[in-house]
Amino acid sequence: MGSTVQKSALLLCGDYMESYETIVPLYTLQSLGVSVHCVTPNRTAGDRCVMAAHDFTGLELYTELVVDQLTLTANFHDITPENYDVIIIPGGRFTETLSADERCVDLVARFAESKKMIFTSCHSQVMLMAAGVLAGGVRCTAFESMRTLIELSGGAWWQQPGVESMFEITDCVKDGNVVSMVGWPTLGHAVRVLVESLGGQVLKENPTSVLFLIGDYVEDYGINVPFRALQALGCKVDAVTPNKKKGEMCATLVYDLEEGRQLPEEKRGHNFLVTASWDDVCVDDYDCVVVPGGRSPELLVMNQKAVALVKKFAEKDKVFAAMGQGKLLLAATGVLKGKRCASGKGMKVMVEVAGGEAVVSNGCVTDGKLVTAASASDLPEFLSGLSTALGVSVMF
């Protein structure tokens, strides 16, 4: 998006790390030109770590769902803290094991000693405890089950006032070089704090508002990453679906491609909270409409209210963006006609039938006010292209 100084981040990984808390900061920082190295002990670049989604499914405690895998990009034994500006530690059960690994504890302690940023979420604050970072009353928040341990470690427990459930939490806490948050509902604000702590300045020509059209089985990262990333960039964002009201949930899915298979396996992801009711949406209040991928576009294209809303955005000459199967809804409204579109092989015929030119390649394609990407793996480029189309940038 624009940078005069190269920034670098270290992402400490492990099996069963929380996928949302991993992918959102990873792809957002990459879209801003930040170099991110993903590492874990006893594995090398090219190896993979299993990721899990933590969400509430009607039981008293969250459920862990195994979703997909993240490929490591560097070797743990090559890591030197002096080469990085921040260490990011997602939540998840892997931190229990890493907190007993002297190499990992020493790594976190070295970041603390050099006053470099340490970014933690949900349960990964256990690494702060193990490294003695909280001693002396450092303010810290986490999933509430961690409160007693934080206080026993010499930290000062912080909780956002006036909230009754974790879904209402929007804030994180920064004390010196330590940033902590409860979990994925606060990622938008937390990533904003992270970017600003790295010296990033968000530049916007005008206030920007973005509407996401979703439904059940929307692609998890396709909605969560741009939604939280645009929040971090100071944009007003809403997510709506025709048949649900504000406060209701849409199911998401994750695509996990195993070696030797022709297609990825579809797995249940996080639930996503609808933020506005359909009847309250006014096209004039938004600068852009985004249609993520997954199977939800099949639902939307059969709903005349959704088709009509996209046509209104076209009449107003707004910015359009779509990922993966999200182009199906744009195809039904004529938006793709005469336009170049990023497309995987599975969407190639659909784009061409709609009068568009399918560009089968990795990354993002921008044609006028249309921004498209083939899949969730292209999200860093997609975020960069969409932000440029909206007149939003970050300068380090």
Side-chain angles (χ1 to χ4, degrees):
M1 293 186 193
S3 178
T4 57
V5 179
Q6 178 65 57
K7 298 292 182 176
S8 298
L10 182 66
L11 185 62
L12 189 57
C13 305
D15 284 334
Y16 300 102
M17 56 189 176
E18 217 289 328
S19 59
Y20 194 164
E21 296 166 20
T22 302
I23 294 298
V24 170
L26 171 61
Y27 283 170
T28 302
L29 290 179
Q30 287 180 331
S31 77
L32 301 178
V34 177
S35 172
V36 185
H37 286 162
C38 305
V39 300
T40 194
N42 306 321
R43 294 183 191 174
T44 58
D47 292 341
R48 298 195 293 177
C49 287
V50 174
M51 294 193 291
H54 291 171
D55 209 341
F56 289 88
T57 58
L59 304 176
E60 289 185 299
L61 193 61
Y62 60 85
T63 297
E64 180 177 271
L65 305 171
V66 177
V67 285
D68 58 352
Q69 301 179 67
L70 181 75
T71 300
L72 302 175
T73 57
N75 301 322
F76 185 86
H77 61 262
D78 292 334
I79 297 304
T80 302
E82 289 72 25
N83 294 335
Y84 299 92
D85 300 289
V86 60
I87 183 171
I88 300 168
I89 315 173
R93 289 191 288 123
F94 80 104
T95 56
E96 297 173 5
T97 300
L98 266 56
S99 67
D101 188 316
E102 292 183 1
R103 297 167 297 174
C104 294
V105 174
D106 179 67
L107 181 66
V108 174
R110 290 168 65 188
F111 270 85
E113 290 166 2
S114 57
K115 304 299 181 183
K116 292 180 178 286
M117 293 298 303
I118 304 174
F119 186 88
T120 62
S121 58
C122 203
H123 291 76
S124 67
Q125 289 81 348
V126 68
M127 298 301 297
L128 303 178
M129 304 173 199
V133 175
L134 298 180
V138 173
R139 288 186 305 145
C140 184
T141 192
F143 192 71
E144 196 166 358
S145 63
M146 304 288 287
R147 177 173 182 169
T148 299
L149 296 177
I150 287 173
E151 293 175 338
L152 289 172
S153 300
W157 174 256
W158 181 90
Q159 184 169 323
Q160 182 176 334
V163 299
E164 296 182 0
S165 77
M166 70 172 294
F167 295 106
E168 298 176 13
I169 299 174
T170 58
D171 213 346
C172 64
V173 60
K174 180 177 183 291
D175 192 341
N177 63 319
V178 177
V179 178
S180 58
M181 65 176 188
V182 173
W184 50 257
T186 62
L187 266 170
H189 178 71
V191 172
R192 174 63 175 256
V193 171
L194 173 60
V195 170
E196 291 177 342
S197 298
L198 291 174
Q201 180 183 4
V202 178
L203 306 175
K204 288 196 300 178
E205 298 172 0
N206 297 294
T208 307
S209 299
V210 180
L211 183 68
F212 288 81
L213 298 187
I214 64 173
D216 280 332
Y217 296 112
V218 61
E219 208 280 326
D220 192 331
Y221 305 148
I223 175 61
N224 278 313
V225 174
F227 192 91
R228 299 303 180 189
L230 290 173
Q231 277 186 330
L233 296 179
C235 300
K236 176 184 181 294
V237 289
D238 277 317
V240 297
T241 190
N243 299 320
K244 296 187 181 185
K245 296 180 180 179
K246 177 180 179 180
E248 295 185 295
M249 295 287 188
C250 281
T252 76
L253 57 83
V254 176
Y255 292 116
D256 183 21
L257 181 60
E258 294 284 351
E259 186 175 352
R261 292 180 180 174
Q262 291 180 317
L263 292 171
E265 180 181 356
E266 183 180 291
K267 297 180 178 179
R268 181 70 179 266
H270 299 86
N271 292 320
F272 192 87
L273 189 72
V274 176
T275 64
S277 296
W278 188 267
D279 292 340
D280 295 333
V281 171
C282 176
V283 172
D284 292 333
D285 293 337
Y286 299 94
D287 303 288
C288 170
V289 61
V290 179
V291 188
R295 286 197 284 113
S296 64
E298 294 188 53
L299 181 68
L300 294 172
V301 79
M302 295 187 291
N303 188 297
Q304 291 305 307
K305 292 190 294 184
V307 174
L309 183 65
V310 173
K311 287 182 177 179
K312 288 182 181 178
F313 272 88
E315 293 168 1
K316 299 283 186 176
D317 196 29
K318 305 280 187 174
V319 175
F320 288 85
M323 292 191 58
Q325 297 94 325
K327 293 183 286 292
L328 176 61
L329 182 58
L330 301 188
T333 56
V335 173
L336 302 186
K337 189 173 183 179
K339 297 290 187 178
R340 298 174 66 250
C341 303
S343 175
K345 293 180 180 179
M347 294 291 105
K348 184 175 185 291
V349 171
M350 182 272 291
V351 170
E352 293 174 344
V353 167
E357 177 187 346
V359 180
V360 182
S361 63
N362 293 327
C364 170
V365 173
T366 299
D367 189 338
K369 291 189 174 181
L370 175 65
V371 181
T372 55
S375 69
S377 61
D378 303 317
L379 271 165
E381 295 86 355
F382 178 76
L383 288 174
S384 182
L386 179 56
S387 298
T388 299
L390 295 172
V392 182
S393 61
V394 174
M395 186 67 69
F396 289 101

